[in-house]
């Protein structure tokens, strides 16, 4: 079963996995019954999470809602450290993540709009580097794992800043290469194989480094660093299977 699951998770394209997630989840869940890990998003417990990624790294993907470490971290921040679930907010969500879409859509306190350059399920088909929306329009913008794909990430950040209302905030997580002090980008690399070798994925155009928050500041944001390890026990970090290195950057328009 282990081999079959790993094979399925690695070989089936994620959009297909998402599309058939309920069937997939029903098939897989009995083999993962247990109480070692818990997904704070869907609330289910498992013996462990599913493997995920090119290297088939174990214990990452929630068999029920398909959340990964980064989704669980964002959820915990929103749930326990913000008023996202209670206050009325106008929200713009770029490249909306599967574990969040249905849940955010159902929330009565949100005026919620999704956006994507290509995805047919998004409400708006727009380019984040040139957002056709007036200044000061949204309270919150989410834009996770997008800025490593776009031609100019600072331009995109500035656009997010522009459409946010004063005192609005954004979460714009990216994969970070913790061995790089400075972001490495090279738009002249266009070959998918070469991009995968240099930037870690066939459609990435940069590896953000430890200077990532500085780039957000360059775009005008005041950046707060949220480290979940300051608020929950190491045991709970393991139960939720979070990435201990990941810092959540809350970017505020002041
Ligand atoms: Zn889940």
């Amino acid at each position: 079963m282990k081999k079959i699951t790993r094979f399925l998770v690695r070989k089936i394209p994620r959009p297909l996995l998402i599309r058939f997630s309920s069937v997939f989840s029903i098939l897989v869940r009995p083999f993962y019954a247990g109480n070692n890990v818990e997904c704070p998003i869907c609330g289910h417990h498992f013996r462990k999470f599913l493997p995920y990624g090119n290297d088939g790294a174990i214990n990452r993907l929630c068999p029920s809602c398909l959340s990964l470490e980064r989704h669980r971290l964002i959820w915990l921040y929103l749930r326990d450290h913000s008023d996202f679930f209670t206050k009325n907010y106008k929200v713009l969500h770029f490249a909306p993540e599967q574990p969040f879409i249905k849940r955010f859509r159902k929330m009565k306190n949100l005026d919620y709009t999704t956006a994507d350059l290509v995805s047919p399920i998004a409400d708006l088909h727009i380019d984040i580097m040139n957002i056709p929306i007036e200044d000061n329009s949204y309270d919150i913008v989410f834009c996770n794992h997008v800025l490593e794909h776009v031609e100019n990430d600072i331009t995109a950040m500035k656009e997010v800043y522009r459409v946010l209302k004063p005192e609005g905030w954004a979460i714009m997580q990216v994969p970070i290469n913790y061995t790089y002090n400075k972001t490495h980008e090279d738009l002249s690399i266009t070959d998918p194989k070469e991009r995968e070798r240099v930037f870690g994925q066939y459609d990435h155009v940069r590896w953000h480094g430890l200077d990532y928050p500085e780039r957000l500041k360059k775009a005008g944001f005041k950046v707060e660093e949220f480290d979940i390890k300051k608020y929950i026990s190491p045991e709970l970090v393991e139960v939720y299977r979070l990435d201990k290195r990941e810092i959540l950057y809350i970017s505020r328009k002041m």
Side-chain angles (χ1 to χ4, degrees):
M1 186 59 200
K2 199 171 170 183
K3 276 192 184 145
I4 297 172
T5 312
R6 190 166 296 182
F7 176 81
L8 289 175
V9 171
R10 285 178 68 178
K11 297 294 176 191
I12 299 179
R14 200 169 141 79
L16 263 186
L17 201 64
I18 286 167
R19 200 155 158 213
F20 296 105
S21 58
S22 46
V23 180
F24 177 76
S25 166
I26 289 163
L27 286 174
V28 154
R29 270 157 68 173
F31 298 95
Y32 283 77
N35 273 313
N36 297 329
V37 298
E38 179 190 331
C39 173
I41 302 179
C42 64
H44 287 107
H45 297 254
F46 301 99
R47 182 166 56 80
K48 61 179 179 178
F49 289 129
L50 292 163
Y52 185 75
N54 290 337
D55 54 356
I58 56 162
N59 213 356
R60 298 193 60 199
L61 183 80
C62 172
S64 175
C65 71
L66 303 184
S67 70
L68 287 165
E69 298 87 344
R70 60 179 188 259
H71 307 125
R72 297 190 285 273
L73 174 64
I74 290 171
W75 185 268
L76 288 168
Y77 172 79
L78 295 175
R79 191 189 72 184
D80 300 338
H81 301 271
S82 84
D83 48 16
F84 181 74
F85 286 86
T86 51
K87 226 175 143 185
N88 291 334
Y89 282 126
K90 201 172 164 194
V91 179
L92 181 60
H93 195 165
F94 283 94
E97 299 94 328
Q98 188 65 18
F100 297 147
I101 306 174
K102 277 190 203 152
R103 290 175 173 84
F104 289 178
R105 273 203 206 286
K106 275 190 200 148
M107 286 167 60
K108 296 267 188 292
N109 63 315
L110 301 182
D111 175 353
Y112 180 66
T113 305
T114 57
D116 197 283
L117 196 55
V118 286
S119 169
I121 60 160
D123 301 320
L124 305 174
H125 298 117
I126 57 178
D127 179 355
I128 193 165
M129 289 191 297
N130 185 15
I131 306 176
I133 290 171
E134 277 177 46
D135 300 1
N136 310 316
S137 294
Y138 287 91
D139 299 294
I140 301 170
V141 174
F142 296 118
C143 161
N144 297 305
H145 285 236
V146 169
L147 298 176
E148 69 276 23
H149 296 267
V150 303
E151 193 179 313
N152 190 322
D153 61 335
I154 309 265
T155 302
M157 290 169 192
K158 283 181 178 164
E159 276 292 87
V160 170
Y161 185 92
R162 184 182 64 74
V163 301
L164 276 171
K165 295 179 189 172
E167 296 185 31
W169 48 277
I171 295 181
M172 294 175 277
Q173 294 299 95
V174 290
I176 290 193
N177 188 321
Y178 297 95
T179 66
Y180 289 173
N181 284 323
K182 241 178 97 61
T183 293
H184 175 52
E185 57 185 342
D186 186 348
L187 291 171
S188 71
I189 300 174
T190 53
D191 177 52
K193 279 214 172 90
E194 190 58 7
R195 280 180 170 172
E196 179 153 4
R197 188 183 72 78
V198 180
F199 304 121
Q201 193 174 303
Y202 72 96
D203 57 351
H204 288 180
V205 298
R206 66 181 60 75
W207 253 126
H208 286 101
L210 298 171
D211 64 340
Y212 182 60
E214 296 310 314
R215 288 172 93 82
L216 291 164
K217 286 175 197 166
K218 215 186 263 181
F221 288 105
K222 182 178 176 283
V223 180
E224 272 170 37
E225 301 195 2
F226 175 79
D227 183 355
I228 190 89
K229 299 190 293 301
K230 288 184 184 160
Y231 303 97
I232 64 174
S233 67
E235 291 76 24
L236 209 46
V237 169
E238 280 305 315
V239 167
Y240 292 145
R241 288 291 300 163
L242 304 171
D243 180 344
K244 291 183 210 63
R245 297 166 304 180
E246 189 172 8
I247 301 294
L248 201 60
Y249 298 107
I250 315 300
S251 300
R252 295 187 188 275
K253 179 169 177 175
M254 303 304 270

